Amino acid sequence: METAKTGVDVLFVLLGAVMVLAMHAGFAFLEVGTVRRKNQVNALVKILSDFAVSTLAYFFVGYGVAYGTSFLVGAGTLVGGEGSGFAAQGYDLVKFFFLATFAAAIPAIVSGGIAERAKFLPQLMATAVLVGLVYPLFEGMVWGTRFGAQEWLQATFGAAFHDFAGSVVVHAVGGWIGLAAVLMLGARLGRYRKDGRLVAVPPSNIPFLALGAWILSVGWFGFNVMSAQSVATLSGLVALNSLMAMVGGILSALVVGRNDPGFVHNGALAGLVAVCAGSDVMHPVGALITGAVAGGAFVWLFTLCQVKWKIDDVLGVWALHGMCGAIGGIACGLFGQQMLGGLGGVSLPAQLVGTLAGVVVGFVGGLAVYGTLKATLGIRLDPEAEFSGADLAIHQIGAYPEEAMPVHDDAIAMAAHAANLRRG
């Protein structure tokens, strides 16, 4: 029976890992649908390449920083040999897979903010450092219970920092890293006129944007629900709270964003980002309110960032992940309270301190990584490459290469001959 139970848990976590892996296709298509056509190939290649680099950085360095575990031992030890320190049937290996997909979300989040003007190789280098060192530092503090942070919060406020599925650990940290990167890069060419007025750059493909949002929304139920990491601790409350927060985010963004399709689809994601932290302790009504607040906040903050502050965050990753993630960390401390229908066991002061710590780690870490790369290798495409588009400048092919093919004289002659035949 114990073997069967462990096998079920291995399969359960593996399915969660695959669902979160699929979310990276959502990140890719959300970016593809938002950026201009000349940068769509770059978005796809960047997300996939960042995932590969993230996996290696997390395997060899990051997971050890967060949990004090090394995989550089024999395979017999990894699958849980007697006295190995690893769980039986390779459970720790699928747990790594699951958490690696979380870690890879950090550069995927950043990618949306720096789109259309970032160099390719320096971004891969940034990914390696962020996933190998910066993100695991905070992950280790919260989920790895390392470095004494949770013990101090427990002793000081009567409860540790609670972040069930990563509102702060993943999203706020990633969003604030993204803000640092965007500030280092500066605005895209032509985004603002000399008098400071914003030049509109509409999404290139609303169906792709919507597809990305749908893929992310579906995968999010693996992201949240399967953060339980075992069948025994699985809770339907997490699923319902995720659904309610998503719905709240959609409707709020629909109203505040005045029917804008980009805001509506990102509103679903804003609600899901915010509910991650407290999805296991909130009442569904509290999750609905959390999602609604996040959806409206995303629209307002995205507009404020782009129009008033002149910060060219292409996909609004700071508003969507950085701020909605922070909202979720704090909302957990409110709607997780028993007096507001929650299960209890959370502390608002602990949530405030933990959320602020995530913001600081993300923003300072982002400034350090991208600031160093900017001063050494440079992180921005030259103006000519940016004008022609990252697709041609970096990958030497566009998303629609047939449109760029030269029309030869023989093709013109054949077309004329066909037209004459049709005329009789």
Side-chain angles (χ1 to χ4, degrees), residues 140-166:
M141 291 169 61
V142 179
W143 291 342
T145 61
R146 305 191 76 195
F147 317 122
Q150 291 287 44
E151 291 85 350
W152 179 81
L153 289 170
Q154 179 75 46
T156 305
F157 302 113
F161 176 61
H162 188 89
D163 190 357
F164 180 70

PDB file of all heavy atoms in Angstrom, residues 140-166:
ATOM      1  N   GLY A 140      14.114  29.602  -1.182  1.00  0.00           N
ATOM      2  CA  GLY A 140      14.657  28.889  -0.034  1.00  0.00           C
ATOM      3  C   GLY A 140      14.193  29.479   1.283  1.00  0.00           C
ATOM      4  O   GLY A 140      13.931  28.752   2.250  1.00  0.00           O
ATOM      5  N   MET A 141      14.082  30.803   1.346  1.00  0.00           N
ATOM      6  CA  MET A 141      13.604  31.460   2.555  1.00  0.00           C
ATOM      7  C   MET A 141      12.179  31.053   2.901  1.00  0.00           C
ATOM      8  O   MET A 141      11.832  30.860   4.076  1.00  0.00           O
ATOM      9  CB  MET A 141      13.683  32.983   2.381  1.00  0.00           C
ATOM     10  CG  MET A 141      15.084  33.549   2.319  1.00  0.00           C
ATOM     11  SD  MET A 141      15.098  35.295   1.798  1.00  0.00           S
ATOM     12  CE  MET A 141      14.128  36.055   3.104  1.00  0.00           C
ATOM     13  N   VAL A 142      11.331  30.896   1.864  1.00  0.00           N
ATOM     14  CA  VAL A 142       9.899  30.647   2.090  1.00  0.00           C
ATOM     15  C   VAL A 142       9.571  29.159   2.041  1.00  0.00           C
ATOM     16  O   VAL A 142       9.097  28.582   3.024  1.00  0.00           O
ATOM     17  CB  VAL A 142       9.055  31.423   1.051  1.00  0.00           C
ATOM     18  CG1 VAL A 142       7.562  31.140   1.258  1.00  0.00           C
ATOM     19  CG2 VAL A 142       9.319  32.922   1.160  1.00  0.00           C
ATOM     20  N   TRP A 143       9.793  28.533   0.903  1.00  0.00           N
ATOM     21  CA  TRP A 143       9.393  27.128   0.743  1.00  0.00           C
ATOM     22  C   TRP A 143      10.451  26.152   1.251  1.00  0.00           C
ATOM     23  O   TRP A 143      10.113  25.052   1.691  1.00  0.00           O
ATOM     24  CB  TRP A 143       9.095  26.836  -0.725  1.00  0.00           C
ATOM     25  CG  TRP A 143       7.851  27.519  -1.216  1.00  0.00           C
ATOM     26  CD1 TRP A 143       6.836  28.036  -0.455  1.00  0.00           C
ATOM     27  CD2 TRP A 143       7.481  27.761  -2.579  1.00  0.00           C
ATOM     28  NE1 TRP A 143       5.866  28.580  -1.250  1.00  0.00           N
ATOM     29  CE2 TRP A 143       6.229  28.433  -2.555  1.00  0.00           C
ATOM     30  CE3 TRP A 143       8.074  27.482  -3.800  1.00  0.00           C
ATOM     31  CZ2 TRP A 143       5.572  28.811  -3.732  1.00  0.00           C
ATOM     32  CZ3 TRP A 143       7.424  27.860  -4.964  1.00  0.00           C
ATOM     33  CH2 TRP A 143       6.190  28.517  -4.931  1.00  0.00           C
ATOM     34  N   GLY A 144      11.705  26.539   1.186  1.00  0.00           N
ATOM     35  CA  GLY A 144      12.757  25.663   1.686  1.00  0.00           C
ATOM     36  C   GLY A 144      12.996  25.812   3.169  1.00  0.00           C
ATOM     37  O   GLY A 144      13.776  25.052   3.756  1.00  0.00           O
ATOM     38  N   THR A 145      12.310  26.794   3.796  1.00  0.00           N
ATOM     39  CA  THR A 145      12.474  27.114   5.230  1.00  0.00           C
ATOM     40  C   THR A 145      13.948  27.188   5.619  1.00  0.00           C
ATOM     41  O   THR A 145      14.353  26.682   6.662  1.00  0.00           O
ATOM     42  CB  THR A 145      11.718  26.110   6.127  1.00  0.00           C
ATOM     43  OG1 THR A 145      12.238  24.799   5.924  1.00  0.00           O
ATOM     44  CG2 THR A 145      10.236  26.126   5.835  1.00  0.00           C
ATOM     45  N   ARG A 146      14.734  27.816   4.756  1.00  0.00           N
ATOM     46  CA  ARG A 146      16.166  27.985   5.017  1.00  0.00           C
ATOM     47  C   ARG A 146      16.446  29.414   5.467  1.00  0.00           C
ATOM     48  O   ARG A 146      15.586  30.294   5.381  1.00  0.00           O
ATOM     49  CB  ARG A 146      16.991  27.652   3.775  1.00  0.00           C
ATOM     50  CG  ARG A 146      16.734  26.261   3.206  1.00  0.00           C
ATOM     51  CD  ARG A 146      17.759  25.906   2.156  1.00  0.00           C
ATOM     52  NE  ARG A 146      19.038  25.559   2.767  1.00  0.00           N
ATOM     53  CZ  ARG A 146      20.187  25.487   2.108  1.00  0.00           C
ATOM     54  NH1 ARG A 146      20.234  25.764   0.813  1.00  0.00           N
ATOM     55  NH2 ARG A 146      21.299  25.152   2.736  1.00  0.00           N
ATOM     56  N   PHE A 147      17.629  29.638   5.971  1.00  0.00           N
ATOM     57  CA  PHE A 147      18.143  30.961   6.313  1.00  0.00           C
ATOM     58  C   PHE A 147      17.423  31.608   7.496  1.00  0.00           C
ATOM     59  O   PHE A 147      17.634  32.776   7.790  1.00  0.00           O
ATOM     60  CB  PHE A 147      18.091  31.908   5.102  1.00  0.00           C
ATOM     61  CG  PHE A 147      18.549  31.275   3.818  1.00  0.00           C
ATOM     62  CD1 PHE A 147      17.715  31.219   2.709  1.00  0.00           C
ATOM     63  CD2 PHE A 147      19.820  30.707   3.714  1.00  0.00           C
ATOM     64  CE1 PHE A 147      18.124  30.632   1.533  1.00  0.00           C
ATOM     65  CE2 PHE A 147      20.249  30.117   2.529  1.00  0.00           C
ATOM     66  CZ  PHE A 147      19.389  30.074   1.445  1.00  0.00           C
ATOM     67  N   GLY A 148      16.547  30.875   8.193  1.00  0.00           N
ATOM     68  CA  GLY A 148      15.931  31.354   9.423  1.00  0.00           C
ATOM     69  C   GLY A 148      14.805  32.352   9.271  1.00  0.00           C
ATOM     70  O   GLY A 148      14.259  32.838  10.273  1.00  0.00           O
ATOM     71  N   ALA A 149      14.398  32.673   8.045  1.00  0.00           N
ATOM     72  CA  ALA A 149      13.371  33.700   7.838  1.00  0.00           C
ATOM     73  C   ALA A 149      12.013  33.282   8.388  1.00  0.00           C
ATOM     74  O   ALA A 149      11.350  34.052   9.104  1.00  0.00           O
ATOM     75  CB  ALA A 149      13.259  34.019   6.352  1.00  0.00           C
ATOM     76  N   GLN A 150      11.582  32.074   8.071  1.00  0.00           N
ATOM     77  CA  GLN A 150      10.268  31.634   8.525  1.00  0.00           C
ATOM     78  C   GLN A 150      10.221  31.459  10.040  1.00  0.00           C
ATOM     79  O   GLN A 150       9.207  31.768  10.681  1.00  0.00           O
ATOM     80  CB  GLN A 150       9.883  30.323   7.816  1.00  0.00           C
ATOM     81  CG  GLN A 150       9.608  30.460   6.325  1.00  0.00           C
ATOM     82  CD  GLN A 150       8.283  31.150   6.027  1.00  0.00           C
ATOM     83  OE1 GLN A 150       7.921  32.153   6.636  1.00  0.00           O
ATOM     84  NE2 GLN A 150       7.561  30.611   5.059  1.00  0.00           N
ATOM     85  N   GLU A 151      11.311  30.985  10.620  1.00  0.00           N
ATOM     86  CA  GLU A 151      11.350  30.838  12.077  1.00  0.00           C
ATOM     87  C   GLU A 151      11.218  32.193  12.763  1.00  0.00           C
ATOM     88  O   GLU A 151      10.517  32.323  13.782  1.00  0.00           O
ATOM     89  CB  GLU A 151      12.662  30.163  12.508  1.00  0.00           C
ATOM     90  CG  GLU A 151      12.773  28.700  12.120  1.00  0.00           C
ATOM     91  CD  GLU A 151      13.283  28.517  10.699  1.00  0.00           C
ATOM     92  OE1 GLU A 151      13.375  29.523   9.947  1.00  0.00           O
ATOM     93  OE2 GLU A 151      13.593  27.369  10.330  1.00  0.00           O
ATOM     94  N   TRP A 152      11.873  33.213  12.197  1.00  0.00           N
ATOM     95  CA  TRP A 152      11.787  34.555  12.793  1.00  0.00           C
ATOM     96  C   TRP A 152      10.370  35.106  12.688  1.00  0.00           C
ATOM     97  O   TRP A 152       9.845  35.691  13.646  1.00  0.00           O
ATOM     98  CB  TRP A 152      12.765  35.494  12.084  1.00  0.00           C
ATOM     99  CG  TRP A 152      12.717  36.889  12.625  1.00  0.00           C
ATOM    100  CD1 TRP A 152      13.325  37.357  13.753  1.00  0.00           C
ATOM    101  CD2 TRP A 152      11.972  37.996  12.085  1.00  0.00           C
ATOM    102  NE1 TRP A 152      13.010  38.698  13.952  1.00  0.00           N
ATOM    103  CE2 TRP A 152      12.198  39.109  12.934  1.00  0.00           C
ATOM    104  CE3 TRP A 152      11.169  38.145  10.964  1.00  0.00           C
ATOM    105  CZ2 TRP A 152      11.617  40.349  12.688  1.00  0.00           C
ATOM    106  CZ3 TRP A 152      10.591  39.381  10.712  1.00  0.00           C
ATOM    107  CH2 TRP A 152      10.818  40.473  11.578  1.00  0.00           C
ATOM    108  N   LEU A 153       9.732  34.929  11.533  1.00  0.00           N
ATOM    109  CA  LEU A 153       8.354  35.402  11.364  1.00  0.00           C
ATOM    110  C   LEU A 153       7.411  34.670  12.313  1.00  0.00           C
ATOM    111  O   LEU A 153       6.509  35.279  12.906  1.00  0.00           O
ATOM    112  CB  LEU A 153       7.907  35.196   9.915  1.00  0.00           C
ATOM    113  CG  LEU A 153       8.549  36.123   8.873  1.00  0.00           C
ATOM    114  CD1 LEU A 153       8.199  35.656   7.463  1.00  0.00           C
ATOM    115  CD2 LEU A 153       8.113  37.567   9.084  1.00  0.00           C
ATOM    116  N   GLN A 154       7.614  33.359  12.459  1.00  0.00           N
ATOM    117  CA  GLN A 154       6.777  32.577  13.367  1.00  0.00           C
ATOM    118  C   GLN A 154       6.924  33.068  14.799  1.00  0.00           C
ATOM    119  O   GLN A 154       5.926  33.246  15.526  1.00  0.00           O
ATOM    120  CB  GLN A 154       7.170  31.101  13.277  1.00  0.00           C
ATOM    121  CG  GLN A 154       6.391  30.169  14.187  1.00  0.00           C
ATOM    122  CD  GLN A 154       4.987  29.913  13.696  1.00  0.00           C
ATOM    123  OE1 GLN A 154       4.789  29.643  12.520  1.00  0.00           O
ATOM    124  NE2 GLN A 154       4.018  29.979  14.592  1.00  0.00           N
ATOM    125  N   ALA A 155       8.149  33.333  15.204  1.00  0.00           N
ATOM    126  CA  ALA A 155       8.388  33.789  16.576  1.00  0.00           C
ATOM    127  C   ALA A 155       7.896  35.210  16.801  1.00  0.00           C
ATOM    128  O   ALA A 155       7.426  35.553  17.893  1.00  0.00           O
ATOM    129  CB  ALA A 155       9.887  33.704  16.887  1.00  0.00           C
ATOM    130  N   THR A 156       7.972  36.043  15.780  1.00  0.00           N
ATOM    131  CA  THR A 156       7.618  37.458  15.924  1.00  0.00           C
ATOM    132  C   THR A 156       6.127  37.703  15.788  1.00  0.00           C
ATOM    133  O   THR A 156       5.539  38.486  16.555  1.00  0.00           O
ATOM    134  CB  THR A 156       8.369  38.295  14.867  1.00  0.00           C
ATOM    135  OG1 THR A 156       9.775  38.051  14.984  1.00  0.00           O
ATOM    136  CG2 THR A 156       8.103  39.784  15.066  1.00  0.00           C
ATOM    137  N   PHE A 157       5.489  37.047  14.802  1.00  0.00           N
ATOM    138  CA  PHE A 157       4.084  37.353  14.495  1.00  0.00           C
ATOM    139  C   PHE A 157       3.135  36.183  14.766  1.00  0.00           C
ATOM    140  O   PHE A 157       1.939  36.297  14.523  1.00  0.00           O
ATOM    141  CB  PHE A 157       3.953  37.775  13.032  1.00  0.00           C
ATOM    142  CG  PHE A 157       4.790  38.976  12.678  1.00  0.00           C
ATOM    143  CD1 PHE A 157       5.865  38.854  11.808  1.00  0.00           C
ATOM    144  CD2 PHE A 157       4.520  40.225  13.230  1.00  0.00           C
ATOM    145  CE1 PHE A 157       6.639  39.951  11.473  1.00  0.00           C
ATOM    146  CE2 PHE A 157       5.289  41.329  12.902  1.00  0.00           C
ATOM    147  CZ  PHE A 157       6.357  41.195  12.026  1.00  0.00           C
ATOM    148  N   GLY A 158       3.658  35.070  15.228  1.00  0.00           N
ATOM    149  CA  GLY A 158       2.799  33.934  15.537  1.00  0.00           C
ATOM    150  C   GLY A 158       2.444  33.078  14.338  1.00  0.00           C
ATOM    151  O   GLY A 158       1.693  32.109  14.460  1.00  0.00           O
ATOM    152  N   ALA A 159       2.943  33.411  13.161  1.00  0.00           N
ATOM    153  CA  ALA A 159       2.692  32.620  11.956  1.00  0.00           C
ATOM    154  C   ALA A 159       3.796  32.901  10.946  1.00  0.00           C
ATOM    155  O   ALA A 159       4.318  34.014  10.884  1.00  0.00           O
ATOM    156  CB  ALA A 159       1.328  32.955  11.346  1.00  0.00           C
ATOM    157  N   ALA A 160       4.133  31.886  10.189  1.00  0.00           N
ATOM    158  CA  ALA A 160       5.120  32.063   9.128  1.00  0.00           C
ATOM    159  C   ALA A 160       4.467  32.736   7.924  1.00  0.00           C
ATOM    160  O   ALA A 160       3.247  32.908   7.873  1.00  0.00           O
ATOM    161  CB  ALA A 160       5.692  30.702   8.729  1.00  0.00           C
ATOM    162  N   PHE A 161       5.293  33.141   6.976  1.00  0.00           N
ATOM    163  CA  PHE A 161       4.771  33.714   5.737  1.00  0.00           C
ATOM    164  C   PHE A 161       4.130  32.611   4.920  1.00  0.00           C
ATOM    165  O   PHE A 161       4.738  31.582   4.651  1.00  0.00           O
ATOM    166  CB  PHE A 161       5.907  34.379   4.954  1.00  0.00           C
ATOM    167  CG  PHE A 161       5.494  34.926   3.613  1.00  0.00           C
ATOM    168  CD1 PHE A 161       4.538  35.923   3.526  1.00  0.00           C
ATOM    169  CD2 PHE A 161       6.064  34.440   2.448  1.00  0.00           C
ATOM    170  CE1 PHE A 161       4.151  36.436   2.292  1.00  0.00           C
ATOM    171  CE2 PHE A 161       5.699  34.947   1.215  1.00  0.00           C
ATOM    172  CZ  PHE A 161       4.737  35.949   1.131  1.00  0.00           C
ATOM    173  N   HIS A 162       2.883  32.823   4.514  1.00  0.00           N
ATOM    174  CA  HIS A 162       2.122  31.792   3.810  1.00  0.00           C
ATOM    175  C   HIS A 162       2.003  32.161   2.328  1.00  0.00           C
ATOM    176  O   HIS A 162       1.435  33.191   1.977  1.00  0.00           O
ATOM    177  CB  HIS A 162       0.726  31.657   4.416  1.00  0.00           C
ATOM    178  CG  HIS A 162      -0.055  30.493   3.880  1.00  0.00           C
ATOM    179  ND1 HIS A 162      -0.008  29.240   4.435  1.00  0.00           N
ATOM    180  CD2 HIS A 162      -0.892  30.395   2.816  1.00  0.00           C
ATOM    181  CE1 HIS A 162      -0.788  28.417   3.760  1.00  0.00           C
ATOM    182  NE2 HIS A 162      -1.332  29.097   2.759  1.00  0.00           N
ATOM    183  N   ASP A 163       2.534  31.307   1.474  1.00  0.00           N
ATOM    184  CA  ASP A 163       2.417  31.513   0.025  1.00  0.00           C
ATOM    185  C   ASP A 163       2.284  30.142  -0.610  1.00  0.00           C
ATOM    186  O   ASP A 163       3.252  29.543  -1.053  1.00  0.00           O
ATOM    187  CB  ASP A 163       3.642  32.257  -0.519  1.00  0.00           C
ATOM    188  CG  ASP A 163       3.453  32.707  -1.969  1.00  0.00           C
ATOM    189  OD1 ASP A 163       2.401  32.380  -2.553  1.00  0.00           O
ATOM    190  OD2 ASP A 163       4.341  33.385  -2.502  1.00  0.00           O
ATOM    191  N   PHE A 164       1.056  29.658  -0.676  1.00  0.00           N
ATOM    192  CA  PHE A 164       0.802  28.275  -1.068  1.00  0.00           C
ATOM    193  C   PHE A 164       1.333  27.953  -2.460  1.00  0.00           C
ATOM    194  O   PHE A 164       1.978  26.934  -2.667  1.00  0.00           O
ATOM    195  CB  PHE A 164      -0.706  27.985  -0.997  1.00  0.00           C
ATOM    196  CG  PHE A 164      -1.080  26.590  -1.380  1.00  0.00           C
ATOM    197  CD1 PHE A 164      -0.745  25.517  -0.561  1.00  0.00           C
ATOM    198  CD2 PHE A 164      -1.754  26.329  -2.564  1.00  0.00           C
ATOM    199  CE1 PHE A 164      -1.085  24.212  -0.911  1.00  0.00           C
ATOM    200  CE2 PHE A 164      -2.100  25.036  -2.928  1.00  0.00           C
ATOM    201  CZ  PHE A 164      -1.768  23.971  -2.090  1.00  0.00           C
ATOM    202  N   ALA A 165       1.064  28.822  -3.435  1.00  0.00           N
ATOM    203  CA  ALA A 165       1.426  28.501  -4.820  1.00  0.00           C
ATOM    204  C   ALA A 165       2.173  29.617  -5.531  1.00  0.00           C
ATOM    205  O   ALA A 165       2.274  29.602  -6.750  1.00  0.00           O
ATOM    206  CB  ALA A 165       0.170  28.119  -5.615  1.00  0.00           C
ATOM    207  N   GLY A 166       2.699  30.598  -4.788  1.00  0.00           N
ATOM    208  CA  GLY A 166       3.659  31.487  -5.413  1.00  0.00           C
ATOM    209  C   GLY A 166       3.221  32.857  -5.855  1.00  0.00           C
ATOM    210  O   GLY A 166       3.838  33.429  -6.761  1.00  0.00           O
TER     211      GLY A 166
END
